[in-house]
């Protein structure tokens, strides 16, 4: 090993140690902040319970706490309490204690009539209480980082760019390890704080007061997010530094990300975020109008399995999905007819496609009238040929079929357009070759056109099934799941549980089951499509 | 085994527009290898598609083996066609591709398998039978397309530029194979191409098409030596034939051509005429002996050298010289015409006479 190299190695190890200490400090600060936020959260909840238990009166204190100004909230609250209750002790007021190492808040508790102070809730944060464990974690992380860094130095001669990268990855790994350890630590601490709250039985006389437990998971999650963001930033910085020698490459990557950023951000915020949040909710008994949302683990999922209405909805959805192959068959027929180079075909295509661009609500209302038992067009036609009318939407036996008819009618145009595109994508010389090979029109359809349309058919079938599993508008407008749950489909069941029965957790669990089903279908589609593409290539 | 006769067939794709095919008549003998050649857009492919039955002629009749097939669908014409891009069915294996036509004609499966194997063996594609077209090279696809045509044992084979998608080496090799195949099968073959080398080397007779019409229909060497029109003369042969504008004047008892070059010809008198001479029929002589000119470009190709000369009159001449010493760019040289090979065309581009010694 050269002198320069061992020098570099020593520098790298020193840098790692500095980095470790910096990490320890950085970790402690978010810890404080989290504990502080936790206390604020607590104070907010208590204040709300005290001042606004009826849910009608807006409270200035609640606003102040929500704004994060705990001190002013404390002052305000104590003034309010002071006015409301004579002879209040100083210690009964909301007080925020601060010192260099400690943060604490104490909030008085009132009874149901908001007349009497019956107790005080206090929460304390002591970030350095677990100092030995914290130090141990950091020491371990520094060791790992230093090892990685010195290995990086060893490779400096071989490939400077990559070596620099591993020197930087070391500290990032440190951070990750410390993050994991301390997240667990914070969680444990928060749970301890929660346990120190007065037990519910102590409040039995004042049952208007419900105190939500502090959410340990949420605090840990916040902390984890902070560290994940930091780690990601460091990795990006490390990448930027290591790729210095390949400026063009780095510029290319940057450009690529600049183009990706809008949709990536959108995906993260509006798809991945809600998805994760739904999973989180599904493990809780989550009522939008209640403050305590206890963690129930897999309770919601267990309930689902035993819920006959859920299974009914699954069954209905599956039966409903059967309209897809029917409308596909009709769409293929229409596409084959409308693919002929005749006059007026363009106008006809547009007309068949029209339902696809109309709002589902409008379609639902129009079809509701078409299905009307007394005046509906369908029954008028049936009676005209001396057949008995059918109470389409009122009869449990026909309601789902009626919905399937509407869906097939709507989807027909879209599927036809896709089939038309598929038909026009078939090279004319293949059909000509088959003609010269002596194939009749029917044989050309069966042996050439249909096999070559297989990717289109697979695509339409799988996306159609996926869409059919998401049906909601038609059910919501036309039948509301009835009669007697005959048209109760999965998404409608989810909607009802979430917004009518206020069972967000249960609805979220159902959403995840639906998501799992759709994911499985999508994966099947991928495999099927890849196979057909291989065939066609 | 069949002859093919076209009687003034025409094709107009939109009413009132210029016809793609404008009264083409051809009589192709049983077992003949005919090449239809012409620049793109000359209507050669349309003629082939009309013979196949993929397009209906606007006017005229088509006879195969004496039977009028003009109104018969393709499957009843007993023909097979090899497409430019082979048109192999991508979802079927090579075996299924070759056997498709037999299957459509309800041939016994055992019989199909036997025939497919035999054809594949003769075209050396036996090992490819279970592959998909996508897994084949261009040359292999070409053979499969050929096998698909042969296996049905049709009366007439139609080829639509079957070699144009192959690289030069495979193309040269396949050319020879197709000629040998024709000799072996003895079936009537009609082959469309824009490549003059294919036309010259493969055909027993060449039909040169231009703007929807057949300009000349004759054996390749006849077409080369005595092109009946100026277009045919220019289209075949590389480098392009030399053309000199001028007129035919009386010269005592005979006539002479007067223009960029001068020589005695045997042709009617004309105020506007063109003398056409192949580059190999121009000789390099001393500047004082022939038409003088300056060398503008020398292209040594190895066995021969192409010499570009600008004559003092301003006209361009191209010479094909054998290996040996050649003049350099800027040299002043003389060009003389081998009179008996010179062709005289009238103002409308039709052959009207020849040079005489």
């Amino acid at each position: 090993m050269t002198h320069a190299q061992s020098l570099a190695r020593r520098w790298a190890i020193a840098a790692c140690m500095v980095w470790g200490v910096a990490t320890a400090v950085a970790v402690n600060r978010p810890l404080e902040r989290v504990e502080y936020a936790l206390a604020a959260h607590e104070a907010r909840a208590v204040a709300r319970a005290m001042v606004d238990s009826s849910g009608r009166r807006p409270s200035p204190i609640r606003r102040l706490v929500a704004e994060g100004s705990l001190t002013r909230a404390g002052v305000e609250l104590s003034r309010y309490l002071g006015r409301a209750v004579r002879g209040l002790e100083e210690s009964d007021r909301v007080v925020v204690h601060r010192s260099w190492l400690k943060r604490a808040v104490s909030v008085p508790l009132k009874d149901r009539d908001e007349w009497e102070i019956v107790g005080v809730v206090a929460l304390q944060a002591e970030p350095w209480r677990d100092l030995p464990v914290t130090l141990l974690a950091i020491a371990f992380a520094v060791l790992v980082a230093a090892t990685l860094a010195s290995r990086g130095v060893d490779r400096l001669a071989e490939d400077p760019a990559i070596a620099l990268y591993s020197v930087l990855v070391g500290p990032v790994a440190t951070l990750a390890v410390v993050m994991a350890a301390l997240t667990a630590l914070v969680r444990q601490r928060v749970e301890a704080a929660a346990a120190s709250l007065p037990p519910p039985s102590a409040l039995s006389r004042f049952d208007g007061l419900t105190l939500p437990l502090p959410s340990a998971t949420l605090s840990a999650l916040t902390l984890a997010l902070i560290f994940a963001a930091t780690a990601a930033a460091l990795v990006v910085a490390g990448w930027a530094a290591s790729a210095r020698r390949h400026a063009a490459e780095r510029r290319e990557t940057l450009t690529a990300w600049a183009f990706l950023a809008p949709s990536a951000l959108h995906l993260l915020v509006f798809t991945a975020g809600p998805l994760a949040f739904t999973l989180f909710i599904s493990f809780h008994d989550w009522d939008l109008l209640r403050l305590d949302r206890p963690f129930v683990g897999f309770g919601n999922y267990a309930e689902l399995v035993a819920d006959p209405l859920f299974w009914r909805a699954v069954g209905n959805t599956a039966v409903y999905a059967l309209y897809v192959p029917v409308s596909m068959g009709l769409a293929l027929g229409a596409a084959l007819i409308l693919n002929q180079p005749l006059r007026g075909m363009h106008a006809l295509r547009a007309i068949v496609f029209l339902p696809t661009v109309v709002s589902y609500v409008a379609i639902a209302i129009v079809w509701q009238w078409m299905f009307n038992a007394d005046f509906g067009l369908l029954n008028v036609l049936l009676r005209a040929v001396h057949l008995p009318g059918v109470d389409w939407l009122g009869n449990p036996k026909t309601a789902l079929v009626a919905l399937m008819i509407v869906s097939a009618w709507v989807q027909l145009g879209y599927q036809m357009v896709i089939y038309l595109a598929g038909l026009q994508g078939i090279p004319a010389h293949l059909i000509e070759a088959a003609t010269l090979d002596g194939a009749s029109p029917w044989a050309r359809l069966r042996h050439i056109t249909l096999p070559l349309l297989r990717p289109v058919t697979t695509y339409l079938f799988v996306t159609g099934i996926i869409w059919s599993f998401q049906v909601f508008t038609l059910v919501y407008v036309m039948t509301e799941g009835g009669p007697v749950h005959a048209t109760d489909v999965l998404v409608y069941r989810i909607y009802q549980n979430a917004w009518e029965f206020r069972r967000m957790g249960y609805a979220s669990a159902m959403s995840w089951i639906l998501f799992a089903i759709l994911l499985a279908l999508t994966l099947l589609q991928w495999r099927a499509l890849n196979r057909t593409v291989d065939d066609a290539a | 085994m069949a002859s093919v006769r076209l009687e003034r067939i025409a094709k107009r794709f939109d009413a009132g527009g210029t016809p793609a095919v404008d009264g083409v008549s051809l009589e192709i003998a049983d077992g003949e290898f005919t090449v239809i050649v012409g620049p793109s857009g000359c209507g050669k492919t349309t003629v082939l598609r009309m013979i196949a039955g993929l397009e209906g002629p606007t006017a005229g009749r088509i006879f195969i083996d004496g039977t009028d097939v003009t109104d018969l669908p393709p499957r009843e014409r007993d023909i097979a066609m090899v497409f430019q891009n082979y048109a192999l069915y991508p979802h079927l294996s090579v075996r299924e591709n070759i056997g498709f036509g037999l299957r459509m004609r309800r041939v016994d499966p055992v019989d199909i398998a036997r025939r497919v194997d035999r054809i594949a063996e003769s075209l050396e594609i036996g090992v490819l039978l279970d592959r998909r077209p996508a897994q084949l090279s261009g040359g292999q696809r070409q053979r499969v397309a050929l096998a698909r045509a042969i296996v049905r044992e049709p009366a007439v084979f139609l080829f639509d530029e079957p070699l144009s998608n192959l690289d030069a080496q495979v193309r040269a090799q396949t050319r020879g194979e197709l000629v040998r195949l024709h000799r072996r099968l003895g079936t009537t073959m009609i082959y469309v191409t824009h490549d003059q080398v294919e036309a010259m080397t493969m055909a027993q007779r060449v039909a040169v098409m231009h703007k929807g019409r057949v300009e000349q229909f004759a054996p390749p060497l006849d077409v080369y030596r005595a092109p009946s029109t100026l277009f045919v003369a220019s289209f075949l042969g590389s480098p392009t034939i030399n053309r000199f504008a001028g007129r035919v004047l009386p010269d005592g008892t005979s006539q002479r051509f007067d223009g960029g070059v001068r020589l005695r010809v045997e042709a009617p008198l004309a105020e506007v005429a063109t003398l056409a001479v192949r580059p190999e029929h121009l000789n390099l002589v001393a500047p004082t002996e022939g038409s003088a000119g300056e060398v503008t470009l020398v292209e040594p190709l190895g066995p021969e050298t192409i010499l570009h000369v600008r004559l003092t009159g301003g006209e361009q001449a191209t010479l094909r010289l054998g290996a040996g010493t050649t003049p350099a760019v800027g040299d002043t040289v003389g060009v003389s015409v081998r009179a008996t090979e010179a062709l005289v065309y009238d103002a409308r581009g039709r052959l009207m006479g020849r040079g005489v010694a």
Side-chain angles (χ1 to χ4, degrees), chain A residues 239-241 243-255:
Chain A
W239 163 80
R244 192 177 294 146
R245 277 158 201 280
H246 311 286
E249 195 180 311
R250 186 174 42 172
R251 214 167 31 240
E252 201 172 279
T253 311
L254 269 181
T255 313

Side-chain angles (χ1 to χ4, degrees), chain A residues 93-262:
Chain A
R93 296 172 186 186
V94 172
V95 181
V96 181
H97 310 276
R98 280 193 199 174
S99 74
W100 189 69
L101 280 176
K102 286 186 181 177
R103 298 272 188 278
V105 63
S106 60
V107 186
L109 287 176
K110 281 178 84 186
D111 69 358
R112 184 169 29 180
D113 305 322
E114 297 179 25
W115 275 106
E116 221 177 315
I117 300 290
V118 294
V120 173
V121 176
L123 278 179
Q124 268 189 1
E126 286 173 284
W128 286 99
R129 196 170 61 183
D130 302 302
L131 197 59
V133 183
T134 311
L135 286 181
L136 206 68
I138 291 171
F140 175 70
V142 168
L143 198 72
V144 172
T147 313
L148 282 172
S150 63
R151 269 195 197 169
V153 169
D154 290 347
R155 293 184 56 189
L156 212 56
E158 300 163 30
D159 189 344
I162 289 181
L164 198 59
Y165 191 71
S166 20
V167 171
L168 277 157
V169 164
V172 174
T174 316
L175 209 65
V177 172
V178 173
M179 180 192 79
L182 292 178
T183 304
L185 217 80
V186 168
R187 194 194 162 108
Q188 180 206 341
R189 179 138 8 112
V190 168
E191 269 160 11
S196 73
L197 281 173
S201 58
L203 294 169
S204 54
R205 192 162 69 87
F206 316 100
D207 48 2
L209 292 169
T210 41
L211 272 178
L213 290 176
S215 168
T217 350
L218 202 64
S219 315
L221 209 68
T222 317
L223 199 66
L225 277 177
I226 290 169
F227 279 110
T230 318
L234 272 167
V235 168
V236 170
W239 163 80
S242 71
R244 192 177 294 146
R245 277 158 201 280
H246 311 286
E249 195 180 311
R250 186 174 42 172
R251 214 167 31 240
E252 201 172 279
T253 311
L254 269 181
T255 313
W257 273 106
F259 278 110
L260 280 176

Side-chain angles (χ1 to χ4, degrees), chain B residues 47-342:
Chain B
V47 168
L48 197 73
R49 289 170 62 85
M50 285 193 284
I51 299 172
L54 294 172
E55 310 269 2
T58 326
R61 312 301 300 172
I62 298 167
F63 299 87
I64 294 178
D65 210 12
T67 317
D68 185 348
V69 298
T70 317
D71 301 317
L72 286 184
R75 60 176 296 164
E76 287 167 36
R77 294 190 183 197
D78 201 14
I79 38 150
M81 184 159 164
V82 176
F83 288 79
Q84 181 172 1
N85 42 22
Y86 319 133
L88 299 180
Y89 311 120
H91 58 291
L92 301 180
S93 68
V94 168
R95 183 188 300 281
E96 290 164 325
N97 260 287
I98 298 174
F100 188 78
L102 297 175
R103 194 168 137 221
M104 287 300 112
R105 290 186 158 80
R106 305 199 189 285
V107 176
D108 176 46
V110 181
D111 199 20
I112 294 179
R114 204 169 37 83
R115 284 164 74 173
V116 169
D117 283 338
R118 204 180 55 218
I119 295 293
E121 204 57 48
S122 72
L123 286 174
E124 294 165 16
I125 49 172
V127 290
L128 308 176
L129 281 177
D130 294 316
R131 295 206 197 157
R132 290 280 162 95
Q135 298 166 305
L136 304 179
S137 71
Q140 290 170 334
R141 286 181 208 189
Q142 211 273 339
R143 280 157 187 268
V144 175
L146 205 57
R148 188 172 68 179
I150 296 171
V151 76
R152 284 203 354 245
E153 294 165 14
V156 180
F157 282 111
L158 306 178
F159 295 93
D160 184 7
E161 309 210 14
L163 306 185
S164 61
N165 286 354
L166 300 178
D167 56 52
Q169 209 173 352
V170 183
R171 200 185 306 174
Q173 180 193 341
T174 315
R175 241 176 11 226
E177 281 175 15
L178 275 177
V179 171
R180 278 196 292 280
L181 185 74
H182 173 251
R183 213 174 295 147
R184 185 155 59 87
L185 298 176
T187 314
T188 314
M189 291 186 176
I190 305 176
Y191 186 106
V192 159
T193 182
H194 64 267
D195 185 320
Q196 47 169 305
V197 177
E198 285 171 27
M200 295 300 293
T201 55
M202 300 171 80
Q204 290 174 327
R205 275 200 293 170
V206 179
V208 185
M209 280 190 72
H210 180 48
K211 290 186 178 167
R213 291 170 177 277
V214 173
E215 301 253 322
Q216 189 169 12
F217 184 38
L221 282 180
D222 291 3
V223 174
Y224 186 79
R225 284 184 187 141
S228 62
T229 66
L230 201 51
F231 169 79
V232 175
S234 314
F235 184 74
L236 291 178
S238 173
T240 315
I241 199 164
N242 290 291
R243 280 165 298 176
F244 304 102
R247 48 200 177 147
V248 181
L249 301 173
D251 180 26
T253 55
S254 60
Q255 304 84 31
R256 73 184 158 87
F257 177 85
D258 190 32
V261 292
R262 290 172 186 194
L263 73 159
R264 289 206 314 129
V265 295
E266 202 177 285
L269 300 182
E271 269 307 300
V272 181
T274 307
L275 186 79
V277 190
R278 297 267 175 217
E280 58 268 34
H281 299 142
L282 286 180
N283 295 330
L284 199 61
V285 292
T288 49
E289 280 177 45
S291 309
E294 185 193 343
V295 177
T296 55
L297 182 65
V298 179
E299 295 177 295
L301 298 176
E304 59 186 31
T305 300
I306 309 298
L307 201 68
H308 297 257
V309 176
R310 192 171 64 227
L311 301 178
T312 41
E315 286 185 274
Q316 292 286 344
T318 312
L319 287 77
R320 189 196 297 270
L321 304 177
T325 52
T326 50
V329 172
D331 288 357
T332 303
V333 294
V335 175
S336 79
V337 178
R338 203 180 299 164
T340 50
E341 304 288 351

Side-chain angles (χ1 to χ4, degrees), chain A residues 283-306:
Chain A
F283 292 121
H284 293 76
D285 188 0
W286 192 291
D287 183 338
L288 277 183
L289 299 184
R290 274 184 21 227
L291 290 169
D292 57 329
R293 289 151 180 178
F295 178 78
V296 294
F298 283 94
N300 283 327
Y301 293 91
E303 194 183 336
L304 266 184
V305 175

Side-chain angles (χ1 to χ4, degrees), chain A residues 168-466:
Chain A
L168 277 157
V169 164
V172 174
T174 316
L175 209 65
V177 172
V178 173
M179 180 192 79
L182 292 178
T183 304
L185 217 80
V186 168
R187 194 194 162 108
Q188 180 206 341
R189 179 138 8 112
V190 168
E191 269 160 11
S196 73
L197 281 173
S201 58
L203 294 169
S204 54
R205 192 162 69 87
F206 316 100
D207 48 2
L209 292 169
T210 41
L211 272 178
L213 290 176
S215 168
T217 350
L218 202 64
S219 315
L221 209 68
T222 317
L223 199 66
L225 277 177
I226 290 169
F227 279 110
T230 318
L234 272 167
V235 168
V236 170
W239 163 80
S242 71
R244 192 177 294 146
R245 277 158 201 280
H246 311 286
E249 195 180 311
R250 186 174 42 172
R251 214 167 31 240
E252 201 172 279
T253 311
L254 269 181
T255 313
W257 273 106
F259 278 110
L260 280 176
S263 56
L265 209 67
H266 180 274
L267 204 68
L268 201 69
V269 175
F270 292 107
T271 303
L275 205 64
F277 191 54
T278 315
L279 185 64
F280 173 74
I281 292 179
S282 76
F283 292 121
H284 293 76
D285 188 0
W286 192 291
D287 183 338
L288 277 183
L289 299 184
R290 274 184 21 227
L291 290 169
D292 57 329
R293 289 151 180 178
F295 178 78
V296 294
F298 283 94
N300 283 327
Y301 293 91
E303 194 183 336
L304 266 184
V305 175
D307 183 355
L309 280 181
F310 170 72
W311 290 112
R312 180 86 192 258
V314 172
N316 281 342
T317 313
V319 171
Y320 170 80
L322 290 180
Y323 90 82
V324 175
V326 176
S327 73
M328 274 173 62
L330 295 172
L332 177 63
L336 286 171
I337 293 168
L338 294 181
N339 197 32
Q340 306 301 318
L342 298 175
R343 279 171 66 100
M345 283 306 175
H346 280 285
L348 260 175
R349 283 179 210 171
I351 289 170
V352 178
F353 185 67
L354 218 52
T356 312
V357 296
V358 178
S359 148
Y360 257 104
V361 176
I363 288 170
I365 290 171
V366 168
W367 274 91
Q368 219 169 8
W369 276 104
M370 305 259 284
F371 283 133
N372 185 290
D374 300 318
F375 317 107
L377 183 66
L378 286 180
N379 278 355
V380 168
L381 289 175
L382 282 178
R383 288 197 195 99
V385 291
H386 302 289
L387 283 172
V390 179
D391 186 3
W392 291 96
L393 297 176
N395 186 338
K397 282 180 185 154
T398 56
L400 195 61
V401 175
L403 289 184
M404 290 165 70
I405 291 173
V406 180
S407 306
W409 178 77
V410 175
Q411 287 292 305
L412 185 67
Y414 169 75
Q415 291 169 340
M416 180 203 72
V417 165
I418 303 290
Y419 263 132
L420 269 175
L423 281 174
Q424 276 156 19
I426 295 177
H429 58 248
L430 289 184
I431 306 293
E432 288 173 352
T435 312
L436 288 172
D437 267 339
S440 62
W442 170 248
R444 291 202 291 272
L445 177 69
R446 209 175 88 85
H447 296 294
I448 307 295
T449 310
L450 286 186
L452 291 177
L453 279 179
R454 221 179 81 191
V456 177
T457 305
T458 312
Y459 164 79
L460 279 179
F461 183 70
V462 179
T463 51
I465 296 287
I466 289 173

